[in-house]
Amino acid sequence: MTHVPEQRRRGGIRFLLPLLAALVYILGLPAMAQTSGPSAGDLSQGAVEAPVTPGAARDSGSPAAPITPEGDRFTDRILAVVGDDVITQRELVERMNLVAQQMVERGNRPPDQDTLARQVMERLIVERVQLQEAERVGINIDEMTLNRAMENIARENRMTLPQLRQALMQDGVDFNAFREQIRHELTVNQLQQRQVDQRIRVSDQEIADLIASESGAIDRGVRYRIAQIMVALPQGADAQQIAEAREEAEALRERVREGEDFATVAVSESEGPDALEGGDLGWRSASEIPTVFAREAVLMRSGEISEVLRSPSGFHIMKLLDREGGDQTRVQQTRVRHILISPDQVRSDEDARRQAQSLYNRIREGASFEDLARANSDDPGSAAQGGTLGWISPGELVPGFEEAMNALEPGVVSEPVESQFGWHIIEVLERREVDTSREQIRARAREILQNRKREEELELWLRRLRDEAYVEYRVDGFGS
């Protein structure tokens, strides 16, 4: 089960803002005329007049051209009402021009004005809906977080913040409006992390399947020494024969798990062709391992014994005798537990902080951390375990949580710590140093699967959010 704080792997502000992606193009464009107004980025237009509502173009097949405002009436005209907010003609014009210019810079031909207006309007509506949802659930980007994001943007463009401000001004971009747009992007990202990422579940079976299917790529350069005990099945075995063979294999596995020498049991009991070698298959690369053992070999540590495995030939018990090659990484792991209090429709962020502080005070006064976690934590996966997250390796948790965890001595409980998921009370139970090569492979596989699922889940969530939103068009042609 995936725990709430694990939406996360190599977490932090690790996303690509649409405007950040566009910034490289913006800074490379010729200077544009300055405009003013409450726009998304406050970007200017060119000198070509063109329609901005679907159906208004005489030649709707012509590509989009830059659009010129036609006075206050034009720029302040309300095109759509979205919840308790509006989208104006100025905003649509400016975003259309930005999108069109980005497409040209990338070597793509912009669509005609009708198509571009509809697509950009829909994008603006979805952005508004997400910002309103973020406000409803209490997400707020503070000045410190915003300043760090702006500094990152400047650094990515090899500039200081004052140089970034100057470059934007030269290209007709109002710095303060641009800064607010970055705040919006950060807000939307945090909302998506909270509302979408926590819906994603990656099972151990999915991780194992991915590792097995890509074991040659994931574990290139690693060699394994494997032994097996095999209980063979006759050709066309019936249900009773299969059940009896499995029962025999389970009994043999129990014997070696209880301490009998694997090689000795293999010599006397295995029906595999390598029985006289104590079941030893010798050293093999990942691509040379029999399919039935491929997944287990990648995931196991030296000396471990597998569950009973089924193949067309029968049932197998596998032991990983040794492995060599690949990266050997020893890291410090932390066994930790937490209580999470998240803001929601009823509970504001400040209310969540106060509740977390109250729980922390009760723990200091002697209340059971485990009992409070079961009764109060908003992380359902760990709450059922008394708040326990298990053994955690570096980089597995969101930065705010991990930083606080690393600063704690075993047995010490932290005061409430904030992350994008809410407020955490953290207790470190113990620490150890381990070889995490296998865990790193699993972490990479989990991240791949989470990224794949995130796109699908995000699309479904956005569609549901959009369908439930109140949208009223004030002009014809949109929404059709």
Side-chain angles (χ1 to χ4, degrees), residues 59-74:
D59 181 8
S60 62
S62 61
I67 305 163
T68 301
E70 298 175 344
D72 291 341
R73 182 194 62 79
F74 178 94

Side-chain angles (χ1 to χ4, degrees), residues 121-427:
M121 173 63 82
E122 183 61 25
R123 179 177 296 182
L124 288 169
I125 289 172
V126 171
E127 288 178 7
R128 285 291 201 284
V129 169
Q130 290 181 90
L131 289 172
Q132 291 173 19
E133 178 69 8
E135 181 178 5
R136 187 178 69 83
V137 299
I139 294 174
N140 179 52
I141 302 300
D142 58 43
E143 291 299 307
M144 183 178 297
T145 301
L146 180 58
N147 289 338
R148 283 200 301 266
M150 295 299 295
E151 289 167 0
N152 289 339
I153 293 174
R155 189 160 42 250
E156 286 293 323
N157 286 273
R158 299 181 180 179
M159 297 178 181
T160 64
L161 201 53
Q163 289 171 336
L164 173 63
R165 179 193 293 266
Q166 184 63 31
L168 290 169
M169 289 177 60
Q170 289 176 353
D171 284 334
V173 182
D174 180 88
F175 182 79
N176 290 330
F178 180 83
R179 191 170 182 274
E180 284 307 301
Q181 179 63 21
I182 297 302
R183 189 195 300 273
H184 291 168
E185 299 287 356
L186 291 167
T187 302
V188 167
N189 181 262
Q190 192 172 122
L191 174 70
Q192 291 178 359
Q193 286 182 329
R194 185 178 295 181
Q195 301 294 328
V196 177
D197 289 3
Q198 68 179 356
R199 300 168 185 261
I200 298 172
R201 296 290 181 266
V202 177
S203 68
D204 290 341
Q205 184 64 48
E206 289 175 303
I207 292 173
D209 288 342
L210 178 66
I211 290 172
S213 67
E214 301 186 14
S215 59
I218 290 177
D219 237 12
R220 186 177 290 113
V222 180
R223 298 175 71 232
Y224 301 90
R225 189 179 173 199
I226 294 170
Q228 71 155 334
I229 297 171
M230 176 181 174
V231 177
L233 280 173
Q235 191 78 18
D238 57 30
Q240 182 176 348
Q241 289 174 310
I242 293 173
E244 290 173 351
R246 175 179 286 280
E247 185 177 346
E248 180 182 350
E250 292 286 359
L252 292 172
R253 177 177 181 272
E254 196 61 29
R255 286 171 57 183
V256 296
R257 277 179 55 83
E258 290 179 354
E260 285 195 52
D261 180 67
F262 193 95
T264 300
V265 175
V267 169
S268 62
E269 305 290 350
S270 178
E271 298 173 300
D274 36 51
L276 293 178
E277 289 74 42
D280 192 344
L281 277 63
W283 285 100
R284 303 194 182 193
S285 67
S287 61
E288 296 170 333
I289 297 174
T291 303
V292 65
F293 301 139
R295 175 189 303 149
E296 306 300 323
V298 174
L299 295 174
M300 290 168 62
R301 286 195 178 95
S302 297
E304 286 188 334
I305 295 170
S306 73
E307 300 289 334
V308 172
L309 308 173
R310 172 73 188 273
S311 80
S313 302
F315 294 95
H316 310 257
I317 304 106
M318 166 192 158
K319 181 175 183 178
L320 180 59
L321 301 175
D322 202 359
R323 66 184 293 274
E324 65 179 12
D327 297 329
Q328 301 290 318
T329 306
R330 297 193 67 82
V331 301
Q332 181 177 264
Q333 288 185 328
T334 303
R335 192 162 73 89
V336 64
R337 62 184 178 182
H338 81 136
I339 299 171
L340 171 66
I341 306 299
S342 297
D344 55 27
Q345 296 91 324
V346 177
R347 183 170 52 205
S348 69
D349 184 70
E350 179 59 24
D351 291 337
R353 186 197 66 78
R354 282 198 293 264
Q355 183 177 345
Q357 184 67 45
S358 174
L359 293 172
Y360 168 75
N361 293 338
R362 291 174 62 186
I363 292 170
R364 289 195 62 185
E365 292 168 359
S368 166
F369 192 111
E370 182 176 344
D371 291 345
L372 291 179
R374 292 181 188 277
N376 298 278
S377 181
D378 291 325
D379 177 2
S382 67
Q385 310 301 320
T388 301
L389 293 170
W391 287 102
I392 302 298
S393 297
E396 290 188 6
L397 302 179
V398 292
F401 187 106
E402 185 165 308
E403 183 179 342
M405 178 188 74
N406 291 339
L408 292 173
E409 294 295 327
V412 176
V413 179
S414 74
E415 292 199 37
V417 174
E418 187 178 18
S419 80
Q420 62 258 45
F421 301 106
W423 293 88
H424 308 260
I425 305 166
I426 305 169
E427 181 181 11

Side-chain angles (χ1 to χ4, degrees), residues 10-172:
R10 299 176 180 85
I13 302 176
R14 196 173 71 83
F15 55 92
L16 190 62
L17 301 172
L19 276 178
L20 177 55
L23 188 57
V24 175
Y25 297 103
I26 294 172
L27 297 182
L29 291 173
M32 297 178 287
Q34 179 79 37
T35 63
S36 61
S39 63
D42 209 27
L43 297 176
S44 62
Q45 288 74 44
V48 180
E49 294 188 12
V52 295
T53 56
R58 293 181 180 178
D59 181 8
S60 62
S62 61
I67 305 163
T68 301
E70 298 175 344
D72 291 341
R73 182 194 62 79
F74 178 94
T75 57
D76 292 339
R77 182 184 181 192
I78 294 175
L79 300 183
V81 177
V82 183
D84 57 2
D85 202 354
V86 297
I87 296 174
T88 66
Q89 195 159 18
R90 175 184 295 279
E91 291 175 280
L92 179 63
V93 165
E94 291 174 347
R95 188 64 68 88
M96 286 173 66
N97 283 333
L98 175 58
V99 170
Q101 291 206 27
Q102 288 177 11
M103 294 182 71
V104 170
E105 287 292 323
R106 296 184 180 113
N108 298 324
R109 178 184 173 89
D112 61 83
Q113 291 288 354
D114 282 9
T115 301
L116 185 62
R118 281 194 297 268
Q119 291 177 342
V120 171
M121 173 63 82
E122 183 61 25
R123 179 177 296 182
L124 288 169
I125 289 172
V126 171
E127 288 178 7
R128 285 291 201 284
V129 169
Q130 290 181 90
L131 289 172
Q132 291 173 19
E133 178 69 8
E135 181 178 5
R136 187 178 69 83
V137 299
I139 294 174
N140 179 52
I141 302 300
D142 58 43
E143 291 299 307
M144 183 178 297
T145 301
L146 180 58
N147 289 338
R148 283 200 301 266
M150 295 299 295
E151 289 167 0
N152 289 339
I153 293 174
R155 189 160 42 250
E156 286 293 323
N157 286 273
R158 299 181 180 179
M159 297 178 181
T160 64
L161 201 53
Q163 289 171 336
L164 173 63
R165 179 193 293 266
Q166 184 63 31
L168 290 169
M169 289 177 60
Q170 289 176 353
D171 284 334

